[in-house]
Amino acid sequence: MNVPWLTVVLLLPLAAAALLQVIPRTAVTLLKALTVTATAAAAAIVWTLVATMGGSPHSAGPLSFHYSEIHQWIPVIGATYHVGLDGISAWILALNAGVFVLGAILVSRRSTDRLKLFCGLLLLTETMTAGVLLSVDLLLFYLFWEGMLIPLYFLLANYGNENRGRATVKFIVYTVAGSLLMLVSILSLFFAHGVASGNLSFDLTQLLGGGLSKQPLVIPWVNITTFTPEQWAFLGFAAAFAIKIPLVPFHTWLPDLYESAPVAVLVFFAGLVSKLGAYSFIRFALTLFPDAVNTFKWVLAALAVVSIIYGALMALSQRDIKRIVAYSSLSHLGFIALGIFTLNVNGINGAVIQIVNHGIIIAALFIIVDIIEQRTGTRDRHELAGLERRMPWLYAFFLVATLAGLGMPGMNSFAGEFSIMLGAFQLHPAYAVLAGLGVVLACWYMLRLHQGVMHDPPQPRTEAVGDIRPAQGLVLLPLVGLMVFLGVFPGPVGDVTQLSVKQTTALAHGYASTAGPNFSGLGPVSPGGQP
Amino acid sequence: MTVLGVLPVLAPPPGIDILGLLPEVILAGGFIVLMMLDLVTAPAQRGWLAVVSVVAVAGAFGATVWCWFDAATPRTVYFGAFAYDRFGLFINAIILVSTALVLMITPQYLNRRGLHYGEYYALILGAATGMMLLAGAGSLMVIFLAIELLSIALYILSGFNRTEPRSQEAAMKYLLLGGFASGFLLFGMALIYGETGHTQLTLIAAAITNGGGTVDPLLMAGIALLFVGLAFKISAAPFHTWTPDVYQGAPTSVTTFMSVTTKVAAFAALIRVFSYTFGEPLIYDRWKIIVYFVAIASMVVGNVAALRQTSLKRVLGYSGIAQGGYILIGVVVLTPAATWGSLYYLASYAVANIGAFAVITVMANRGEDLDSYASLRGLAFRRPYVAAAMGLFLLSLGGFPPTAGFFAKFFVFAAAIGAHELPLALWGIGTSAVSVFYYLRVGLLMYTRPQPDEPSYNWSRTSLSGGGVLALTAAGTLVMGIFVTLVLNIAVSAQNGIVLHG
């Protein structure tokens, strides 16, 4: 059986989006059914692929892939259509498929203005994000990375509250500026490799050796020594990814955008799109620029710690519950980034696990916040109280999500955060201590939020609200179930990621070693990851 | 030269020279036929003139395709006056396709605006003939004559709306500044001729190479003046001041035509003359500085000025200036990759820009062109497909993948970085980031629901031909952004085929 499954995963949502165009605008049910079916079918394929991929990859090399497809694309410049799935992209792709099903279900439960446009854009976004996760060729990756902004732009600009215009333009311009810097870096790398090796290629597996000069650049006339070309190129990538994650000085687009975006967009935007920066850092920046990464890891890890604490403090100072969740997301993304910059197996493995975990948690939290806002008409923490008695089911779901969000042992994000902390400790204990402060603050704002909204005597606005409908419960149930399940059995994620993480870490160190203690969450350490 | 040299008709031709001009001859024939036909065509039947002109263009396109295979070994014809090579034919193809697309949206627009006169079609074909001659010009004299042919036709066309002061102003402005530019061009040619003793490009190149390492200031002055003359035609800053006014004042179908084809043809001449005739390192080092700064000035001025416009036609005018700056990167950098990058850029610019202007043309109603920002608001709610196509064109102009514009920018920036001109690429990239603002602003407006108290605009219904043009250009934008090799291979072989020796 030789079905190019990865291409199917890429093209399925696209084909569905094309099919949507022939359905009349008034056939609302059909539009919704098609969108949900297409995303669910893509999810079924992806999950099957991930579940059956096992521990050992099919291709050899310093970066090995379990599934890959390669075709000529633009031979003149050596660009290829090279897509691949390995342990790092596998679970994130599974998350990707999941959050888009969630988005499709959420939009089909609402009467959305211009539903057809929304569904089409949602499906296009899925193609683009899946493309980012699957691309091995740098030009192809850039194509999806930048192309992702098109459907996102129309989604964010068309749907959401009245402030969305400004927030969207801010986000797009920030991202484009970062991406263009990355394009320069890609091109520099491409030419350096072309000169050094004599063949033109954008393929990550070909470019691994680098080829960029490690001699410092000197600005002529003024004789100021600056970074080496390799370091400059790394900074181009770092700018693009740091904006997307976002790390603290580049984060200003995030709170505004999260506040204005509708929940059906947020589940996949906060759940996945913002994780693509972290994923791409692991996939491309660490492997292509090992020396530069090792030079800058202290600064980047420091930025990550600043993000953790800044996000947590901002979350503490908000009244708007949606903004609290948005800032908590910033804080948690800082954790993921910290894991990456530790450059050891524990940290990176933790980051990958945490990308998946946090995607699940943040999607659930935004859905819960949206339900609360729908029922009570407010997002002000001070006007909300006593929902526990009115909405016992929501209370239960929110409780699990809260506990998972603050990294409670037995919940999914504990495994990831613990692994990241372990890695941070190996890098330098100070990072672990400061990051630990972020966990303490997370307990504070999450528990305060939960207590304030749920306990206390009901306020006028919360007097007459009813509990969530069964359908809403059915949306939340799998998310909450996963939080508990992955908390108790973190093995499945860790096992698959392990080998790929080791390979990436080895590349990031520039030597073939998998130094560092072996840890893959709380579960038993599986030898399945070894080739 | 003997008497036979003076009377080439009597001399046995070296090869069959007329083949080299076949597409131009067909188009010029169409031009004359249309002039005649106009005299006997009833006003109500003038739509048929459009059909005849499209047939002429199709014939010329067929000839171009045939010549493409015939011109596998490039040569010059008519004693070096005209280059018969794939480079020129590639440009011909862009010009002819653009012309056909413009002709398809024209009759409806002219009828609505009450301007349907038969001369229009003849003039369009005349201008296109001039452009094709310019693309293949192998001699300074042919360059000048071709530029005059296309310019005179365009002067009349931009003043075609005779009753509207703005259109008259556009024509007058274009005429005066264009005449001024022609003066520069001619003076530059005279100086070059005086220095080298030749008007043929191949002989000029040989004379410079044999000059023995010295550069005469008068030659440099001639080259600089020649560049100024061509820079007017590609509307590069600081010679761009006529562009927004003329684009706004001229009838939109004319703007659609001239904004693309003039630029494409003039760039062809620019590349042929500068990259391939004045490519001698000694001279290149000097003119490079001029073109370098004109490129940067165009990118900056075009993109920054576009931010403050409120008329879509003017925005596209300024965006065209900026796009010209990006293509100039491909002229500054002398590598083959830069040349085919520029060719790819020209093709992608043609597709997206024709599409964008076609949207304005198609939407125009009986009284006026609807090109203000206010009139765009909410277009997506009433004309979803038109708005989606417009969004696609804007994204392509802004350089977003997976559209043609991304790869166009990618190839020229890549060529610049590959030739160690990183600062040029960085200027390009910085200004591209700025351009995202105004392209997206237009996109945002189309998708903003108009307030109940706002005036509702009476957008025209999209006709079959108008919709066809939008569909074709939209498809082209996407195809060139995904299946890149289709056009790229042709562009590369066009670059390879450029004639270097007489």
Side-chain angles (χ1 to χ4, degrees):
Chain A
M1 190 173 71
N2 237 339
V3 182
W5 285 114
L6 300 183
T7 305
V8 171
V9 168
L10 279 179
L11 291 185
L12 187 68
L14 195 67
L19 196 58
L20 276 182
Q21 299 310 311
V22 300
I23 299 176
R25 208 174 319 174
T26 43
V28 175
T29 320
L30 194 57
L31 290 173
K32 289 173 176 173
L34 179 63
T35 313
V36 175
T37 314
T39 51
I45 296 173
V46 169
W47 291 341
T48 315
L49 282 180
V50 173
T52 56
M53 68 191 267
S56 59
H58 298 160
S59 71
L63 264 184
S64 40
F65 293 94
H66 292 72
Y67 303 93
S68 66
E69 291 163 30
I70 184 161
H71 299 287
Q72 289 285 328
W73 181 31
I74 314 176
V76 184
I77 53 170
T80 54
Y81 172 80
H82 188 180
V83 289
L85 189 69
D86 73 348
I88 295 175
S89 47
W91 280 98
I92 306 178
L93 191 70
L95 171 73
N96 180 50
V99 290
F100 280 100
V101 176
L102 213 53
I105 291 175
L106 283 174
V107 75
S108 66
R109 303 222 10 95
R110 289 275 162 76
S111 60
T112 304
D113 183 29
R114 280 180 290 161
L115 181 81
K116 188 166 153 182
L117 181 67
F118 191 102
C119 292
L121 292 170
L122 180 136
L123 291 165
L124 278 183
T125 314
E126 180 170 8
T127 291
M128 295 294 182
T129 51
V132 168
L133 290 168
L134 288 174
S135 301
V136 183
D137 186 277
L138 276 167
L139 190 62
L140 192 66
F141 164 74
Y142 187 83
L143 191 87
F144 286 120
W145 175 267
E146 187 91 340
M148 173 170 72
L149 295 179
I150 298 174
L152 279 179
Y153 168 72
F154 285 106
L155 272 176
L156 296 166
N158 281 312
Y159 305 92
N161 74 9
E162 62 282 358
N163 298 326
R164 60 181 188 258
R166 268 182 65 92
T168 306
V169 171
K170 198 186 204 177
F171 165 68
I172 297 281
V173 172
Y174 253 101
T175 319
V176 167
S179 306
L180 287 171
L181 289 175
M182 179 169 73
L183 182 62
V184 178
S185 299
I186 291 178
L187 284 172
S188 312
L189 199 65
F190 166 71
F191 282 110
H193 172 261
V195 170
S197 73
N199 70 23
L200 297 176
S201 177
F202 283 98
D203 199 320
L204 175 67
T205 53
Q206 302 277 320
L207 291 171
L208 281 178
L212 277 169
S213 165
K214 293 182 167 59
Q215 296 298 315
L217 276 179
V218 179
I219 301 175
W221 302 312
V222 287
N223 257 339
I224 296 172
T225 309
T226 65
F227 302 126
T228 67
E230 194 204 15
Q231 288 169 336
W232 279 115
F234 169 73
L235 289 176
F237 274 77
F241 300 150
I243 287 170
K244 195 70 139 212
I245 292 178
L247 288 178
V248 142
F250 312 106
H251 69 285
T252 51
W253 59 265
L254 182 138
D256 294 347
L257 195 71
Y258 281 16
E259 192 189 336
S260 67
V263 67
V265 175
L266 272 178
V267 286
F268 61 83
F269 193 94
L272 184 91
V273 174
S274 63
K275 270 76 172 177
L276 291 178
Y279 162 77
S280 310
F281 229 119
I282 301 174
R283 167 69 75 229
F284 295 104
L286 297 195
T287 53
L288 286 171
F289 310 101
D291 289 358
V293 170
N294 277 289
T295 312
F296 288 109
K297 67 179 174 189
W298 306 105
V299 185
L300 290 167
L303 286 182
V305 170
V306 172
S307 299
I308 295 172
I309 295 177
Y310 175 84
L313 288 175
M314 288 304 282
L316 265 179
S317 64
Q318 303 297 318
R319 283 176 63 167
D320 181 338
I321 54 174
K322 204 173 177 187
R323 281 184 91 91
I324 295 178
V325 176
Y327 277 111
S328 88
S329 171
L330 180 62
S331 180
H332 282 102
L333 286 164
F335 255 108
I336 294 169
L338 178 64
I340 297 170
F341 303 134
T342 60
L343 298 190
N344 53 47
V345 176
N346 287 335
I348 296 174
N349 211 12
V352 176
I353 297 172
Q354 192 60 7
I355 286 175
V356 178
N357 289 337
H358 184 245
I360 298 167
I361 296 169
I362 199 78
L365 281 176
F366 273 121
I367 294 174
I368 290 168
V369 164
D370 184 62
I371 292 173
I372 293 176
E373 188 190 357
Q374 292 291 320
R375 291 297 166 84
T376 63
T378 181
R379 293 199 311 249
D380 190 338
R381 197 161 55 81
H382 294 187
E383 293 181 30
L384 293 165
L387 286 177
E388 174 205 4
R389 285 167 232 173
R390 305 275 170 262
M391 312 172 84
W393 278 101
L394 184 78
Y395 171 78
F397 288 133
F398 193 17
L399 183 65
V400 178
T402 304
L403 294 179
L406 55 80
M408 186 84 163
M411 292 294 170
N412 60 347
S413 69
F414 175 73
E417 284 190 2
F418 186 74
S419 188
I420 290 171
M421 294 286 266
L422 215 59
F425 198 84
Q426 282 174 291
L427 180 66
H428 195 283
Y431 288 116
V433 171
L434 288 169
L437 194 60
V439 180
V440 176
L441 290 171
C443 290
W444 185 359
Y445 65 74
M446 284 312 289
L447 288 179
R448 191 183 65 175
L449 173 67
H450 187 263
Q451 270 181 350
V453 173
M454 289 297 166
H455 298 287
D456 297 341
Q459 297 252 344
R461 276 188 183 273
T462 55
E463 274 296 352
V465 295
D467 204 355
I468 53 175
R469 283 189 298 272
Q472 289 173 320
L474 281 179
V475 172
L476 283 170
L477 191 63
L479 295 175
V480 170
L482 274 174
M483 288 178 210
V484 177
F485 178 78
L486 291 176
V488 183
F489 303 104
V493 183
D495 288 352
V496 174
T497 59
Q498 214 172 39
L499 174 71
S500 300
V501 167
K502 278 183 186 163
Q503 288 180 333
T504 303
T505 317
L507 286 168
H509 282 287
Y511 55 85
S513 142
T514 51
N518 209 341
F519 178 81
S520 65
L522 280 179
V525 177
S526 152
Q530 305 297 338
Chain B
M1 280 280 144
T2 60
V3 175
L4 289 182
V6 183
L7 296 170
V9 184
L10 301 177
I16 309 165
D17 277 4
I18 191 77
L19 280 185
L21 280 173
L22 196 57
E24 286 84 351
V25 168
I26 293 175
L27 212 55
F31 165 59
I32 293 165
V33 168
L34 277 167
M35 294 270 262
M36 305 288 184
L37 274 183
D38 179 37
L39 300 175
V40 296
T41 311
Q45 302 298 318
R46 281 183 184 138
W48 289 105
L49 294 178
V51 176
V52 173
S53 50
V54 170
V55 168
V57 170
F61 187 78
T64 305
V65 173
W66 184 83
C67 289
W68 174 272
F69 294 106
D70 187 49
T73 47
R75 59 193 166 100
T76 56
V77 293
Y78 291 107
F79 309 99
F82 192 79
Y84 181 50
D85 59 6
R86 289 184 166 180
F87 177 81
L89 291 168
F90 181 79
I91 300 291
N92 279 2
I94 300 179
I95 292 170
L96 288 169
V97 170
S98 311
T99 309
L101 291 173
V102 170
L103 287 170
M104 281 166 72
I105 52 172
T106 292
Q108 196 194 16
Y109 176 79
L110 292 183
N111 276 330
R112 259 183 228 145
R113 304 295 309 273
L115 301 172
H116 208 168
Y117 305 112
E119 294 87 354
Y120 183 95
Y121 301 104
L123 288 169
I124 289 269
L125 290 200
T129 310
M131 290 160 187
M132 285 162 66
L133 285 171
L134 184 56
S139 142
L140 294 180
M141 296 321 295
V142 178
I143 291 181
F144 183 74
L145 290 175
I147 284 191
E148 286 308 291
L149 176 55
L150 76 91
S151 300
I152 291 170
L154 287 178
Y155 297 149
I156 306 171
L157 282 172
S158 46
F160 210 70
N161 195 352
R162 285 175 301 187
T163 51
E164 192 182 300
R166 199 181 252 173
S167 181
Q168 290 175 8
E169 184 197 321
M172 189 52 75
K173 204 171 239 174
Y174 195 26
L175 173 67
L176 288 177
L177 287 173
F180 203 50
S182 296
F184 275 109
L185 196 70
L186 207 50
F187 193 39
M189 287 173 178
L191 287 175
I192 294 169
Y193 176 70
E195 277 303 314
T196 59
H198 296 290
T199 55
Q200 283 177 35
L201 298 180
T202 50
L203 297 179
I204 292 173
I208 291 170
T209 314
N210 298 333
T214 57
V215 179
D216 195 284
L218 279 183
L219 178 64
M220 280 321 297
I223 292 174
L225 289 173
L226 191 66
F227 178 70
V228 171
L230 288 172
F232 263 100
K233 291 294 159 201
I234 59 168
S235 58
F239 314 108
H240 67 284
T241 44
W242 59 274
T243 315
D245 295 337
V246 174
Y247 281 16
Q248 194 183 16
T252 314
S253 60
V254 175
T255 312
T256 313
F257 178 68
M258 68 193 284
S259 70
V260 169
T261 48
T262 318
K263 196 166 280 188
V264 170
F267 260 110
L270 200 62
I271 292 170
R272 196 186 283 282
V273 174
F274 280 79
S275 301
Y276 290 88
T277 306
F278 300 142
E280 187 70 19
L282 210 61
I283 302 189
Y284 168 67
D285 287 343
R286 303 208 164 138
W287 65 255
K288 177 187 163 188
I289 303 168
I290 307 172
V291 183
Y292 198 100
F293 283 104
V294 169
I296 292 177
S298 304
M299 292 187 267
V300 173
V301 170
N303 282 320
V304 172
L307 290 175
R308 300 193 52 82
Q309 303 304 316
T310 53
S311 146
L312 191 54
K313 277 164 103 176
R314 289 183 79 85
V315 169
L316 288 175
Y318 279 111
S319 122
I321 295 167
Q323 304 282 344
Y326 296 125
I327 310 173
L328 275 177
I329 294 180
V331 180
V332 175
V333 179
L334 272 193
T335 56
T339 302
W340 54 251
S342 311
L343 291 178
Y344 197 85
Y345 206 122
L346 288 172
S348 85
Y349 169 76
V351 173
N353 223 45
I354 288 210
F357 272 115
V359 169
I360 311 177
T361 314
V362 168
M363 291 286 103
N365 67 15
R366 198 159 288 283
E368 51 178 347
D369 291 339
L370 295 175
D371 75 319
S372 68
Y373 272 11
S375 68
L376 279 171
R377 185 180 282 266
L379 186 67
F381 295 86
R382 300 264 303 278
R383 300 277 186 279
Y385 292 106
V386 172
M390 185 67 174
L392 193 64
F393 302 136
L394 293 172
L395 288 169
S396 180
L397 290 170
F400 280 86
T403 60
F406 167 71
F407 280 101
K409 284 207 171 76
F410 177 81
F411 290 138
V412 294
F413 293 163
I417 292 174
H420 305 289
E421 298 284 0
L422 187 62
L424 209 50
L426 286 177
W427 275 101
I429 277 170
T431 50
S432 296
V434 173
S435 74
V436 171
F437 270 111
Y438 61 83
Y439 290 126
L440 286 194
R441 196 163 95 189
V442 177
L444 200 59
L445 272 171
M446 293 191 300
Y447 283 87
T448 310
R449 192 180 281 287
Q451 300 297 320
D453 53 335
E454 284 178 29
S456 70
Y457 285 89
N458 185 18
W459 298 297
S460 293
R461 290 191 64 77
T462 316
S463 66
L464 191 63
S465 59
V469 167
L470 294 185
L472 281 175
T473 43
T477 307
L478 276 178
V479 166
M480 283 181 67
I482 297 168
F483 304 104
V484 184
T485 36
L486 288 180
V487 177
L488 185 67
N489 284 345
I490 302 175
V492 171
S493 103
Q495 185 275 324
N496 279 329
I498 194 163
V499 69
L500 295 174
H501 308 289

